[in-house]
């Protein structure tokens, strides 16, 4: 089954963590980079298209700037990333060129991808690069990001890129062998799980919040990324990038790492983008009846089902849709601002124009813009 699933994936996003491509304190690990380039060339000979999401800019820049410890302040990290990103790309260029491959740098922020036009522009640029035979190498544009527009970590970025490029497989290369049923560093009985059919709460709990000291993510962010990929109908393979030929062996069907299966009911690209790439700006609280209707029948949200609005947002923003208990169960793009919704909530759609003096439509959130989570 494994081999079947993996070999069917034409387009693959490979996420490479800082821990994998750097050595303890000397920046980039040349042996890893060479091994990676040979494997990428091999995958392409087998007909796969490869998109890389790479970390390592901060780790590569840190020693150059003489920052001995892991930089702590945000400007220090951004400075290290600015110095490290060019070195990182030069390393990719060098090792790829030796295999006859061309590396293309793409730097993104969440704000870029949250803008539908820029999202589509990035998609067509990447499409064109792949047609030209280049290997897109993507990282977060660390120099300009602050929390508001950050992906948070490259695990999350890799999941969003999977949608961006409409890949069929996400591979997360890290420095442990895969997903364990408990933290292997504190629990000697922890077992490697080779197949995760569904990312349940138990799986998420086992992933805990274990982190490495070099990258920003831990097991929890990797499992969260796998879950987002699964929602897009894409399986995720998590494996140890430090092991020789791991990509080739895994793609040949060898039982290495952990394979997380995709969900059968997957979201379209645009709905996935609404659910995970956009950042919700506020909340619309709806009544029990609306929860039922929206969750079951894929209908639009009308003003009559809304009881309260929280936060400030404009027409066109993404908001959380919450039940009477405050728990979010859906997300969507609103057709009315928080001020307008405060005036029309609880009313019939036919009354919108009388109340506001204008109307954009009957729905607060049209079903095409609504995702039940
Ligand atoms: N963008 C960061 C870097 O290149 C890495 C973020 C992460 O590893 O999650 O250093």
């Amino acid at each position: 089954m494994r081999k079947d699933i993996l070999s069917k994936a034409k387009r693959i996003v490979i996420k490479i963590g800082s821990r994998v491509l750097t050595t303890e304190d000397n920046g980039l690990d040349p042996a890893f980079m060479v091994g990676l380039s040979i494997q990428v060339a091999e995958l392409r000979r087998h007909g796969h298209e490869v998109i890389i999401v790479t970390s390592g800019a901060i780790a590569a820049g840190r020693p150059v700037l003489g920052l001995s410890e892991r930089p702590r302040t945000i400007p220090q990290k951004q400075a290290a990333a600015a110095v490290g990103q060019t070195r990182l790309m030069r390393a990719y260029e060098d090792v790829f060129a030796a295999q006859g491959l061309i590396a293309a740098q793409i730097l993104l922020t969440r704000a870029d991808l949250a803008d539908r036009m820029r999202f589509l522009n990035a998609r067509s640029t990447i499409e064109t690069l792949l047609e030209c035979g280049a290997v897109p190498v993507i990282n977060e544009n660390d120099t300009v990001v602050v929390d508001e527009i950050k992906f948070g970590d490259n695990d999350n970025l890799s999941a969003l890129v999977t949608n961006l490029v409409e890949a069929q497989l996400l591979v997360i290369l890290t420095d442990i062998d895969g997903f364990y049923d408990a933290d292997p560093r504190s629990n000697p009985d922890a077992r490697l799980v080779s197949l995760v059919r569904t990312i349940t709460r138990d799986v998420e709990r086992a992933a805990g919040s274990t982190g490495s000291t070099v990258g920003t993510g831990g097991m929890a962010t990797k499992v969260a990324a796998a879950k987002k990929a699964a929602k897009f109908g894409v399986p995720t393979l998590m494996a140890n990038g430090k092991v020789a030929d791991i990509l080739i062996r895994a793609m040949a069907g060898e039982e290495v790492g952990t394979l997380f299966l995709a969900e059968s009911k997957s979201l379209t690209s645009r709905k996935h983008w609404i659910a995970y790439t956009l950042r919700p700006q506020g909340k619309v609280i709806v009544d029990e009846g609306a929860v039922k209707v929206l969750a079951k029948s894929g209908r639009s949200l009308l003003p009559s089902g809304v009881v309260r609005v929280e936060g400030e947002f404009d027409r066109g923003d993404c908001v959380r849709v919450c039940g009477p208990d405050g728990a979010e169960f859906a997300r969507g793009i609103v057709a009315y601002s928080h001020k307008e919704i405060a005036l029309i909530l609880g009313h019939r759609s036919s009354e919108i124009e009388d109340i506001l003096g204008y109307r954009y439509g009957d729905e607060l959130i049209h079903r095409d813009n609504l995702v039940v989570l």
Side-chain angles (χ1 to χ4, degrees):
M1 176 186 76
R2 220 179 213 261
K3 191 170 177 188
D4 236 39
I5 292 175
L6 297 177
S7 58
K8 261 196 233 134
K10 181 164 195 296
R11 187 169 288 186
I12 311 173
V13 172
I14 302 175
K15 188 265 171 177
I16 301 162
S18 298
R19 282 280 276 253
V20 185
L21 55 80
T22 58
T23 53
E24 279 299 297
D25 45 30
N26 297 322
L28 298 171
D29 177 356
F32 169 79
M33 305 271 319
V34 170
L36 175 72
S37 64
I38 293 171
Q39 294 183 78
V40 169
E42 178 81 11
L43 289 176
R44 287 175 34 117
R45 277 194 292 276
H46 284 96
H48 298 287
E49 292 174 324
V50 176
I51 294 100
I52 291 190
V53 172
T54 188
S55 299
I58 296 172
R62 188 179 48 82
V64 184
L65 288 183
L67 297 167
S68 55
E69 279 168 47
R70 179 154 200 247
R72 289 281 163 221
T73 69
I74 289 170
Q76 272 182 345
K77 285 185 194 168
Q78 291 175 316
V83 170
Q85 180 63 29
T86 54
R87 283 167 171 77
L88 183 62
M89 279 317 293
R90 194 185 316 145
Y92 274 105
E93 264 171 24
D94 289 349
V95 294
F96 277 12
Q99 302 302 320
L101 301 173
I102 301 162
Q105 169 179 265
I106 299 183
L107 296 175
L108 295 171
T109 65
R110 184 196 271 265
D112 292 326
L113 294 192
D115 179 316
R116 193 68 190 161
M117 188 80 89
R118 284 197 249 169
F119 178 94
L120 295 173
N121 284 340
R123 175 180 279 177
S124 31
T125 304
I126 293 170
E127 202 65 55
T128 308
L129 285 166
L130 292 170
E131 276 163 26
C132 298
V135 182
V137 180
I138 304 175
N139 195 1
E140 177 144 31
N141 193 355
D142 289 313
T143 316
V144 297
V145 290
V146 287
D147 271 349
E148 277 302 288
I149 56 165
K150 233 189 198 155
F151 295 109
D153 54 73
N154 276 9
D155 296 319
N156 183 37
L157 173 61
S158 69
L160 304 185
V161 164
T162 299
N163 173 357
L164 176 69
V165 306
E166 302 189 284
Q168 286 101 31
L169 176 67
L170 170 61
V171 177
I172 297 182
L173 291 184
T174 179
D175 65 339
I176 59 169
D177 288 335
F179 171 72
Y180 287 80
D181 57 3
D183 186 344
R185 292 171 307 179
S186 55
N187 190 335
D189 295 329
R191 277 181 322 119
L192 181 71
V193 183
S194 82
L195 181 71
V196 176
R197 289 183 183 277
T198 316
I199 301 173
T200 56
R201 283 253 187 278
D202 282 344
V203 170
E204 289 173 323
R205 222 169 285 132
S209 56
T210 51
S212 77
T213 48
V214 187
T216 45
M219 189 50 74
T221 59
K222 289 174 182 50
V223 168
K227 189 169 180 176
K228 286 178 193 166
K231 294 256 185 222
F232 187 53
V234 171
T236 298
L237 178 80
M238 186 189 300
N240 192 336
K242 292 278 192 198
V243 173
D245 290 333
I246 194 75
L247 290 168
I248 303 303
R249 289 169 50 191
M251 293 305 285
E254 214 180 291
E255 288 274 326
V256 287
T258 302
L259 181 66
F260 298 82
L261 297 187
E263 287 188 11
S264 49
K265 267 183 72 189
S266 58
L267 296 170
T268 61
S269 173
R270 189 166 175 284
K271 290 223 167 172
H272 191 275
W273 173 78
I274 291 172
Y276 299 113
T277 303
L278 295 184
R279 181 159 280 205
Q281 304 295 321
K283 284 185 187 172
V284 173
I285 322 293
V286 305
D287 61 24
E288 211 51 75
V291 175
K292 284 213 184 81
V293 173
L294 295 183
K296 276 220 193 89
S297 56
R299 299 255 276 278
S300 302
L301 175 66
L302 304 176
S304 55
V306 177
V307 292
R308 207 170 66 244
V309 60
E310 280 178 25
E312 297 186 358
F313 49 83
D314 285 324
R315 165 175 157 81
D317 281 345
C318 178
V319 300
R320 297 178 202 277
V321 183
C322 306
D325 59 351
E328 177 184 19
F329 70 98
R331 232 169 241 202
I333 298 175
V334 277
Y336 293 87
S337 71
H338 72 282
K339 285 189 188 142
E340 290 163 332
I341 295 177
L343 296 171
I344 59 181
L345 60 81
H347 290 273
R348 291 166 186 280
S349 296
S350 56
E351 296 172 280
I352 295 177
E353 188 150 11
D354 290 338
I355 300 169
L356 298 180
Y358 54 86
R359 66 195 281 278
Y360 298 116
D362 286 349
E363 304 87 7
L364 290 192
I365 303 178
H366 190 274
R367 62 187 143 87
D368 293 347
N369 291 326
L370 186 82
V371 189
V372 178
L373 299 169

